[in-house]
DNA sequence: CATGAATGAGTGTTCATTCAT
DNA sequence: TATGAATGAACACTCATTCAT
């Protein structure tokens, strides 16, 4: 039998004992969910605990306070962004296929949801703890972006007449995806889908137009 | 020894009776301050009232609940977006001046901070009350965008060979500004400034290139 | 249990609005009761509030924390000890009547219960916050004792051959009353009564014998 | 019911020191420490266990509850009071030496601190559980006092003209020591020392005067 | 048997909201 | 109307106690 999923919504009074590390991860997942949904103040330890499959008091066996849990969460979400598989524009193939894979990377894929949740968390909490978010930006996000940037530049150098790109130009290539992210965050999944699809299509069109020519 | 009360206001607690509308506006200002600073959950009615110069109970003479106050606030801050001097691309003048005024409108000016605040509120609120945000999107934002869209289209019809614009294409024209907002939110005022300037410059360049044409 | 205090212990859900000072005093009375009965940790804000006729939250409108309430309580019980009517051994009348009034003062009367409660509070909490209790001793109790001491000395100078008294001798005159207090505290009202009566009788006998003199 | 120890009572021959018993003693020591420091409510099982070198759950293998631990503690600390080497006024020697040894017993020695701790516990407990304290009084303290009383009486019968002593008179002989204990509790070790010394001196003086006879 | 994860019943405190004055 | 006392419903956190391993 498979083990119970981490979000066991039913309410059997069974006491399930888990290794500390596993439970800890469940709690962190639940916390990401809650904090990004409701913000730090809006989130309740009770809900986080329930999502993690334990009671409020149980959570305190793993994290000493709500604040500490939040900090731990920020710590854990800072790493993966940098270390995930460095995407590289395939230097072979047509321009179209290169652009497509670039866009596929930017717009949704399997990891998008989680990344979106993290983004939402950071945005929502950027008011409460700006320094922490800046730190995240410096340590995690900026390197990530620069990696992407270098990949794009190296591709362009090889295949187009463009020689260098300003950071502003690079940013432009990402901006529609950021817009899409906002739509996704704000107006939710379904009604956002068409909007995003349209944006992506135009994004593709414009990129091709700008890159293809000379 | 002097006795220093903890609530040390400039005026010693006099019961100033203000016209309802004025008081209401004070409250709304205070509310925007509080909500944007602490989020909906983090904000307290007590603080809002104090900032507005009245007591907690006094506030309830003007707004029936914290929720209602928040709704009213959203209404007042969303309205201007729609009704503010409907920007129209001046059909006279050069393309450059038209684009410049478009960009000036999009990118920062006195209203940027306020817009940022509103955006953050919407983000949090979209977690707390998605329907309300969708409603805002339908009732306020979409018409606003469409107005802009029509202005842009009409301009293009007159001056370029472009005939119609998809919503995705329109969105693209805004997206770099959204990215700028994102930077502003996350990495804050000063270090974000140069980033944003670069984006705006590239934005201008691309728009001119795409529109001028053919 | 003991008799009901001035506040109604029944539970009508009526909201009774009282002047701040009055309610504050109710709370302090209730707090003295609770703290001396259960100690600081054992006492609950809920019970104190209920005894004072309000809810837990209502109490916090008058005292900012349990700790603050405790401190305020200590402050209020420190004053009266010093300022209460300075008892003086009537310099007229027989030795017997003088001793009797001395003993009546020491052993119970109307104020005894309250004094006992305060004593119990101080003893119980002398472990938790020794400094605070020492402070009480220096500021309130020592002066009070010294006043009594001077009264006793002045009486003896006039009527007996004793000239001076050491503090140890003075203390001795009080010590049986302290013992009585302990009985009262520990084995409670009824079964303690006879014990105390016997102590008082012997106390009287010894005092007369020692003073009557020579 | 009485103690339910895991050691089999039916075979008293085997007096092997079980680790269990040792640990039990550790726990009791830790408990006395904690309870006297923080009171019953203030004490935590966690801290007691840690002081005893085991975990919280481990403690429950030895005592079924915090309450039971406290009871057991009271049992162990009350017992010695009754059974300790029954002090008897040496019927030989001078009155002075007899009184001195009586006073030495009453006033501090190595056991004073412990007795103080116990006394404070009883004070707190007398608020929380008056019956238990009355029970202690009946079962433990009263016999102890009576033993002392008989010793004193028998001595007096032999050496003085005093024939009987009322309980009140006996009590009087102890009361200054109670006062001393009171000082010790309230104003602490150092500054209490001189006060206590003075009391003891006067106590001695008065006893000699009263007993030395006529 | 001892441990650490887990729990249920509080406990102090806050807060949006109401009501009598 | 405006106020301040009062409330009920949380909420973060603690703790005595249990249970699976």
């Amino acid at each position: 039998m498979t083990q119970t999923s981490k979000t066991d919504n039913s309410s059997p009074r069974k006491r399930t004992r888990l290794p500390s590390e596993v439970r800890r991860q469940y709690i962190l997942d639940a916390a990401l969910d809650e904090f990004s949904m409701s913000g730090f103040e809006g989130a309740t330890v009770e809900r986080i605990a329930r999502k993690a499959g334990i009671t409020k008091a149980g959570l305190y066996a793993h994290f000493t306070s709500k604040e500490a849990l939040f900090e731990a969460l920020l710590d854990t979400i800072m790493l993966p962004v940098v270390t995930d598989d460095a995407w590289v524009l395939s230097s072979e193939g047509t321009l179209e296929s290169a652009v497509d894979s670039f866009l596929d990377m930017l717009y949704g894929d399997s990891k998008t949801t989680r990344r979106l949740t993290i983004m939402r968390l950071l945005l929502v909490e950027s008011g409460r703890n700006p320094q922490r978010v800046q730190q995240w930006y410096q340590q995690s996000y900026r390197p990530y972006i620069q990696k992407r940037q270098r990949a794009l530049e190296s591709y362009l150098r090889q295949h187009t007449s463009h020689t260098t790109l300003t950071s502003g130009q690079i940013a432009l290539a990402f901006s529609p995806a950021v817009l899409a992210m906002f739509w996704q965050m704000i107006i939710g999944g379904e009604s956002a889908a068409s909007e995003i699809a349209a944006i992506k299509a135009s994004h593709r069109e414009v990129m091709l137009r700008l890159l293809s020519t000379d």
Side-chain angles (χ1 to χ4, degrees), chain A residues 99-170:
Chain A
V99 164
D100 279 339
S101 76
F102 176 78
L103 292 178
D104 286 345
M105 183 268 306
L106 275 186
Y107 295 83
D109 61 340
S110 61
K111 289 174 193 163
T112 299
T113 302
R114 183 177 168 83
R115 198 176 296 161
L116 202 73
T117 307
I118 293 175
M119 271 304 179
R120 169 188 277 272
L121 172 63
L122 291 170
L123 284 176
V124 164
E125 288 308 313
S126 63
R128 213 181 75 86
N129 195 354
Q131 295 160 344
R132 197 68 161 80
V133 177
Q134 279 208 24
Q135 181 192 344
W136 162 84
Y137 167 70
Q138 300 287 349
Q139 284 183 7
S140 301
Y141 202 68
R142 181 178 264 273
Y144 164 76
I145 288 292
Q146 286 171 342
K147 201 179 235 173
R148 296 273 185 270
Q149 182 170 339
R150 278 191 294 273
L152 191 56
E153 277 183 331
S154 107
Y155 178 87
L156 293 180
R157 248 195 306 276
Q158 290 182 302
H159 296 79
T160 72
S161 60
H162 295 277
T163 52
T164 58
L165 284 176
T166 66
S167 72
Q169 285 168 326
I170 296 287

Side-chain angles (χ1 to χ4, degrees), chain A residues 9-20:
Chain A
N9 54 351
S10 64
S11 56
R13 300 232 163 203
K14 198 62 188 170
R15 183 188 277 207
T16 53
R17 185 196 173 89
L18 257 58
S20 189

Side-chain angles (χ1 to χ4, degrees), chain A residues 45-112:
Chain A
V45 174
E46 169 89 43
R47 269 201 302 264
I48 295 174
R50 197 152 43 214
K51 274 183 195 166
I54 51 174
T55 58
K56 212 174 17 169
L59 187 149
Y60 280 89
H62 300 274
F63 297 92
T64 60
S65 70
K66 187 186 182 183
E67 187 75 37
L69 172 55
F70 187 71
E71 291 292 319
L73 177 62
L74 288 187
D75 285 344
T76 62
I77 65 183
M78 282 183 177
L79 275 340
V81 179
V82 182
T83 57
D84 73 358
D85 51 332
W87 168 87
V88 181
L89 271 171
S90 59
S91 51
E92 297 160 10
T94 66
L95 175 65
E96 289 199 350
S97 70
V99 164
D100 279 339
S101 76
F102 176 78
L103 292 178
D104 286 345
M105 183 268 306
L106 275 186
Y107 295 83
D109 61 340
S110 61
K111 289 174 193 163
T112 299

Side-chain angles (χ1 to χ4, degrees), chain A residues 195-210:
Chain A
E195 201 86 42
I196 291 174
I199 293 174
K200 189 178 177 184
S202 297
H203 196 181
R204 182 174 189 273
E205 186 187 341
V206 168
M207 276 197 81
L208 286 176
R209 186 156 161 205
L210 288 175

